[in-house]
Amino acid sequence: MNLQNVISYIKDKLEKIFWPLIVCYALYLVFEIYSYYDEKESFMDKVYFENMYQAKFLTLALILAAALIFKVTGKVRIASLILVIPAIITVGTFLIVMLVIAGLAILFILFGN
């Protein structure tokens, strides 16, 4: 495979992945709203709690708004990239953390008392 085929493959996938990513972000938003109301009563520092969730909601709103604005203006690839890059960072971080946890678990099993 040469570089041109890879680039055309990625461009083709970016045009098809926009709405599934919007659905994933919407489900994440519903989960965060549920978490907000579920944890609200048990959190001690209300100011920190409000600021934490305000930052989460603002970031999510900015990502969704930018993607939808680019989608409406006809720039579907850029809109998909706006959604894909945070998703890749999140999934990549999750996978790295899981690998580190699995590695530490193996080390504790092998060398622990």
Side-chain angles (χ1 to χ4, degrees), residues 2-3 17 25 30 34 37-38 51-52 57 72-74 84 87 89 92 96 111:
N2 59 11
L3 184 60
I17 200 168
Y25 276 97
V30 169
Y34 173 77
Y37 286 110
D38 187 45
N51 289 338
M52 180 179 62
F57 291 142
V72 169
T73 58
V84 165
I89 291 171
I96 290 171
F111 302 112

Side-chain angles (χ1 to χ4, degrees), residues 73-104:
T73 58
K75 298 175 179 161
V76 180
R77 292 179 188 147
I78 295 175
S80 296
L81 278 176
I82 289 172
L83 295 174
V84 165
I85 291 175
I88 288 175
I89 291 171
T90 303
V91 170
T93 304
F94 176 75
L95 290 176
I96 290 171
V97 167
M98 288 298 115
L99 287 173
V100 167
I101 290 172
L104 288 173

Side-chain angles (χ1 to χ4, degrees), residues 37-53:
Y37 286 110
D38 187 45
E39 298 171 2
K40 190 174 187 177
E41 299 301 321
S42 63
F43 212 84
M44 296 295 284
D45 189 4
K46 300 291 185 193
V47 175
Y48 174 74
F49 179 77
E50 295 290 332
N51 289 338
M52 180 179 62
Y53 273 98

